[in-house]
Amino acid sequence: MLQRGRKFKKGAGAVAMAVIVAVCSLTGGKMTVHAEEADVASYERLDELYSDYFKFGAACEAIDHWNDPGKEIGNPAKEELLSTVFNSITCGNEMKPAYNFDASSESLFKIDPAATEMLDWAKANDIGMRGHTLLWHSQVDPSIFAKDYIALSDGKQTKQDSAELDEDCLVDRDELLRRMKTYIYSMMEYTYKEGYAKTIYAWDVVNEAADENQDDGFRRSYWYKIIGPDFLYHAFLYAREAETLYAAQYADLYGLNAETDNLSPIMPKLFYNDYNEWFDNKSDAIINFLTKEKWNENHAKVTSDVIKPDGDGTIYGDGLIDGIGMQGHLSDTQNIEQYRKALQKYSAAVDEVHITELDVGCSKTDENVWLFQAQFYYDFFSMLIEEVKNGAKLTSVTVWGLTDDASWRVDANPLLFFGDLERKPAFEAVVTAAKGEEFTMTLQDTMGEVEDMLITFEPYVEAGKAVAIEPKNVGIIGRGTGHQARLKLAQKINHTEGAAIGFSLWVSRQEQDASMKLNISRYAGKNVTVTAYVMTEDKKIRMGLETDGDTQLLEADAVSGDWAELSANVTIPEDAPAAFLYLETDGAADFYVDDISVVINADGAPATEGPAAGEGDASAADEADGAAASGDTEGANDEAATDADSDSDNTGGIAAIVVAIGAGAALLAKKKSQNKKEGE
């Protein structure tokens, strides 16, 4: 049998691989094998395999930052894996402003001890680090924007980075520029005087400042609202000034002479970093405000020794930025050519490009779950190698995490290693691409018989207990390539008639791009009618089909304080590698979803009634309702409902739906018609 962790071999038995995957597919791709069983020392080194092309790194975190034993630094086995396979790391959280800003200090800075731990580990293991990040609208203490460092929202003090701050508590432009400069200088000086200047080879100076939906391409953060769009120019100016100053001041700590030696080894490259930046409208906005917008035309507004005398007033032209970071939170159905085009555009615009946060979510949940992901990784890295050979300025690639179980998209299983540190097929695919060998895994046809489906989000019975539905286990996952929505159950916000408790799916989000989708890949080649009920404060609701691309099926008006019905007839392409039904709105408000049905239409005729499956299954539904009502529950209570969230972009477990259907569980129930709202 072909075991996980063994290298791909041409002609290797795909059936044997399918047996392994079949076991994983029922558990979200996770298997419980002790980490010490993984022979990490024998793994091939990605940093060496890709040394002719770019650095190869991974994001990681310190156990001490969150007191989370699942993190990497502080875990000897995971540390060994990092040092064996990679030559670069990025702090997942430890160097972000929220954890290093100190309003009580004159320097506005106090290093997170976990950040120091990670810097020390990287330095001791001769591994480079990308500094992430100096400036961001998120994970920032809002007091930096406020008078006397007291941020107020609706008259109450707040520490929430997403809070809408009271206008009269905000500082003016000059004061915020002073604070920005102080913080950037303080963080940079710390890294120099403590001996980390050779360890940190790049800084994400500004993170996620773009909003392609705005006329000028800028996100309306408080950096923007108070300072104006030229906050970006000043941030890069201060970072360049700081590294120039401290490289000279602390040169002797690194065996260099500030007067005679080249100080570039202790001057990290400065990057702008963002997500979704392979889309044309966003890449155009980023290139415009970094390389074309003359923030300091004729250097009339700002003067500095670090500004190129012959600069054109742009951030790039004045010599203040070195590169652009492309995050790369993808799925295995992503259009690689679209990403290639963006890589080419950025390579033409700046000196370097880094892929800073790469992960690839799985779109399948059957025996082919790892094949599609591995195929994508193989094709993606083959494309990167080809582009570097053709002149792309890609110099670093970082996967955003080490193991699936600790990923921020945990249910998407998007990384290169299982939780037990064993190599996934995705890892072997990346190795195979580096060697220029052929990808040989083959497709398994395992979909079998399919039935109608109704998801009511009500508890179902298992071993005599009422169990709360988890979105991922019925194939519902986050949608969007940036910050994901949180998917959880909401109690008493309900559309299902007669529910003993009453649940719906709560899609909690801060950005329009973040929404939800349901895996309906198992209906490939069939004509179906899909129906869902949605409640939102936004104006419009959209239903669509996501396969190789996106197809909007319909747009409906929202009903204020009530449920809107969306129903569409669609044929799922037979050759689609994956298919998802998605729901989204025209804004960024939270929304609720209930009673999602998929009905197979005979001979392609649209359905006129609710799902047949479940009509004879009322007893199972009633049994679950009764168990929940009597308090005989296991997770079907308030706490379980509100905590059953998923911040990830996972394909979930369609296999779990099949099992539930076969068992007559209560997620298949009679279709209900009356609206049920909170309090009814």
Side-chain angles (χ1 to χ4, degrees):
M1 174 179 267
L2 180 62
Q3 299 292 331
R4 291 183 302 135
R6 298 239 181 121
K7 294 188 291 183
F8 282 124
K9 297 179 181 179
K10 293 183 179 180
V15 174
M17 177 62 77
V19 174
I20 294 291
V21 175
V23 176
C24 297
S25 67
L26 298 179
T27 59
K30 304 178 184 69
M31 298 181 71
T32 54
V33 179
H34 296 298
E36 60 265 28
E37 294 183 13
D39 183 15
V40 169
S42 68
Y43 291 2
E44 298 197 62
R45 299 187 60 109
L46 296 182
D47 59 343
E48 293 180 354
L49 288 171
Y50 284 87
S51 61
D52 290 339
Y53 308 113
F54 39 75
K55 288 181 179 290
F56 210 125
C60 53
E61 296 180 67
I63 290 175
D64 290 344
H65 182 71
W66 303 113
N67 194 27
D68 182 350
K71 300 305 181 184
E72 294 79 24
I73 303 304
N75 180 321
K78 290 188 174 183
E79 289 180 354
E80 182 186 6
L81 178 56
L82 284 167
S83 62
T84 298
V85 175
F86 303 102
N87 60 359
S88 170
I89 64 169
T90 302
C91 293
N93 280 288
E94 290 79 354
M95 297 187 77
K96 290 175 179 174
Y99 313 113
N100 296 280
F101 175 76
D102 182 5
S104 66
S105 169
E106 185 176 339
S107 67
L108 301 183
F109 173 80
K110 182 180 180 181
I111 191 69
D112 182 343
T116 300
E117 181 183 357
M118 294 187 71
L119 284 161
D120 285 341
W121 183 86
K123 183 179 178 181
N125 287 275
D126 195 25
I127 290 178
M129 177 184 285
R130 298 191 78 263
H132 180 74
T133 174
L134 293 174
L135 211 68
W136 196 15
H137 69 278
S138 184
Q139 287 184 272
V140 59
D141 186 335
S143 69
I144 196 172
F145 305 117
K147 297 172 184 175
D148 300 319
Y149 299 102
I150 301 174
L152 300 175
S153 179
D154 197 22
K156 299 178 181 179
Q157 189 168 354
T158 182
K159 289 290 186 180
Q160 295 297 316
D161 57 3
S162 60
E164 184 175 348
L165 303 181
D166 296 344
E167 192 73 26
D168 58 3
C169 86
L170 301 177
V171 298
D172 60 24
R173 169 186 162 93
D174 288 344
E175 175 61 16
L176 189 54
L177 282 171
R178 184 194 70 78
R179 294 181 183 183
M180 177 199 292
K181 180 176 181 178
T182 300
Y183 178 78
I184 290 175
Y185 268 60
S186 298
M187 171 63 94
M188 298 280 275
E189 182 177 19
Y190 171 82
T191 64
Y192 277 93
K193 70 180 181 181
E194 298 299 328
Y196 305 123
K198 283 187 175 179
T199 301
I200 299 176
Y201 68 93
W203 270 106
D204 289 330
V205 176
V206 178
N207 196 45
E208 300 176 3
D211 182 351
E212 65 274 28
N213 296 312
Q214 300 291 342
D215 290 341
D216 61 359
F218 276 95
R219 179 188 297 274
R220 294 318 194 242
S221 67
Y222 281 102
W223 299 110
Y224 178 97
K225 291 176 180 178
I226 296 172
I227 297 173
D230 63 337
F231 84 89
L232 199 66
Y233 184 93
H234 284 86
F236 280 96
L237 172 65
Y238 298 151
R240 186 69 87 201
E241 286 180 338
E243 69 171 1
T244 302
L245 171 65
Y246 298 128
Q249 183 174 333
Y250 294 100
D252 58 334
L253 287 181
Y254 304 93
L256 298 173
N257 186 310
E259 300 296 328
T260 60
D261 290 337
N262 174 17
L263 301 184
S264 61
I266 56 171
M267 295 184 68
K269 301 294 180 68
L270 305 182
F271 279 75
Y272 173 80
N273 190 52
D274 216 320
Y275 67 94
N276 282 4
E277 64 279 63
W278 51 88
F279 296 126
D280 282 340
N281 51 358
K282 193 156 191 174
S283 61
D284 289 344
I286 291 170
I287 289 172
N288 179 67
F289 61 56
L290 293 179
T291 70
K292 297 179 181 179
E293 190 72 39
K294 297 183 184 298
W295 305 110
N296 192 22
E297 190 168 12
N298 299 320
H299 301 161
K301 294 182 179 180
V302 184
T303 59
S304 173
D305 290 342
V306 303
I307 296 174
K308 288 183 177 179
D310 59 349
D312 59 5
T314 67
I315 296 172
Y316 178 73
D318 281 357
L320 306 180
I321 188 172
D322 299 297
I324 293 174
M326 302 175 67
Q327 288 188 13
H329 298 298
L330 309 173
S331 74
D332 57 23
T333 59
Q334 175 73 35
N335 185 330
I336 290 178
E337 291 307 306
Q338 189 178 38
Y339 202 97
R340 182 200 300 267
K341 180 181 176 183
L343 174 60
Q344 293 170 344
K345 287 174 67 174
Y346 293 132
S347 293
V350 295
D351 295 337
E352 293 190 35
V353 180
H354 287 181
I355 295 175
T356 57
E357 303 182 22
L358 178 65
D359 50 25
V360 180
C362 295
S363 65
K364 284 287 189 180
T365 54
D366 64 355
E367 283 85 341
N368 295 306
V369 61
W370 306 128
L371 178 138
F372 283 93
Q373 183 186 53
Q375 179 74 66
F376 184 92
Y377 268 110
Y378 176 85
D379 292 343
F380 188 80
F381 276 90
S382 296
M383 178 272 289
L384 296 183
I385 290 170
E386 179 183 352
E387 287 304 308
V388 171
K389 288 179 177 178
N390 290 337
K393 298 174 183 175
L394 181 64
T395 58
S396 177
V397 173
T398 299
V399 287
W400 197 247
L402 187 66
T403 57
D404 281 344
D405 63 314
S407 168
W408 76 298
R409 302 170 67 193
V410 58
D411 295 314
N413 298 312
L415 297 172
L416 302 180
F417 299 95
F418 292 102
D420 59 16
L421 309 191
E422 281 284 358
R423 294 162 290 187
K424 292 173 61 180
F427 175 86
E428 304 293 4
V430 174
V431 170
T432 302
K435 294 180 176 181
E437 296 176 354
E438 181 183 356
F439 182 84
T440 59
M441 286 182 70
T442 57
L443 188 67
Q444 300 299 301
D445 183 11
T446 57
M447 298 310 293
E449 198 76 24
V450 293
E451 301 177 71
D452 296 345
M453 174 171 62
L454 172 65
I455 306 174
T456 68
F457 302 103
E458 299 307 309
Y460 64 94
V461 173
E462 185 175 287
K465 299 286 187 178
V467 182
I469 291 289
E470 292 190 28
K472 65 181 180 180
N473 288 341
V474 293
I476 293 175
I477 57 178
R479 184 171 191 262
T481 52
H483 301 291
Q484 301 291 296
R486 299 181 68 214
L487 307 180
K488 60 181 84 174
L489 297 187
Q491 184 177 336
K492 296 184 180 179
I493 302 177
N494 175 48
H495 176 267
T496 308
E497 180 186 4
I501 300 177
F503 291 103
S504 63
L505 177 70
W506 178 11
V507 183
S508 176
R509 63 207 183 123
Q510 296 182 16
E511 304 197 23
Q512 184 175 0
D513 178 67
S515 60
M516 59 78 66
K517 60 186 179 182
L518 168 67
N519 191 333
I520 56 174
S521 303
R522 61 196 306 268
Y523 296 97
K526 298 187 180 298
N527 180 272
V528 297
T529 296
V530 292
T531 303
Y533 293 85
V534 181
M535 188 191 312
T536 181
E537 294 303 314
D538 286 333
K539 302 299 183 185
K540 298 287 185 180
I541 309 166
R542 303 184 185 100
M543 174 186 283
L545 179 69
E546 176 187 306
T547 53
D548 289 332
D550 296 345
T551 302
Q552 184 172 307
L553 301 178
L554 61 89
E555 180 178 81
D557 293 329
V559 181
S560 180
D562 208 342
W563 295 94
E565 179 181 5
L566 289 85
S567 187
N569 178 258
V570 62
T571 298
I572 312 301
E574 188 168 10
D575 59 351
F580 295 89
L581 173 73
Y582 68 82
L583 294 167
E584 61 185 18
T585 70
D586 63 343
D590 290 2
F591 64 90
Y592 300 87
V593 184
D594 206 354
D595 293 340
I596 306 173
S597 65
V598 181
V599 179
I600 302 169
N601 302 320
D603 301 322
T608 57
E609 298 181 354
E615 287 187 357
D617 210 21
S619 60
D622 293 341
E623 182 183 351
D625 287 350
S630 67
D632 187 15
T633 63
E634 184 177 306
N637 51 30
D638 291 9
E639 183 176 359
T642 54
D643 285 344
D645 62 305
S646 170
D647 293 335
S648 66
D649 187 11
N650 174 35
T651 56
I654 294 297
I657 294 181
V658 178
V659 171
I661 289 173
L667 82 109
L668 289 178
K670 290 187 296 184
K671 185 175 179 181
K672 312 298 183 180
S673 58
Q674 288 189 331
N675 291 353
K676 285 285 181 179
K677 301 189 292 294
E678 184 172 12
E680 294 185 346

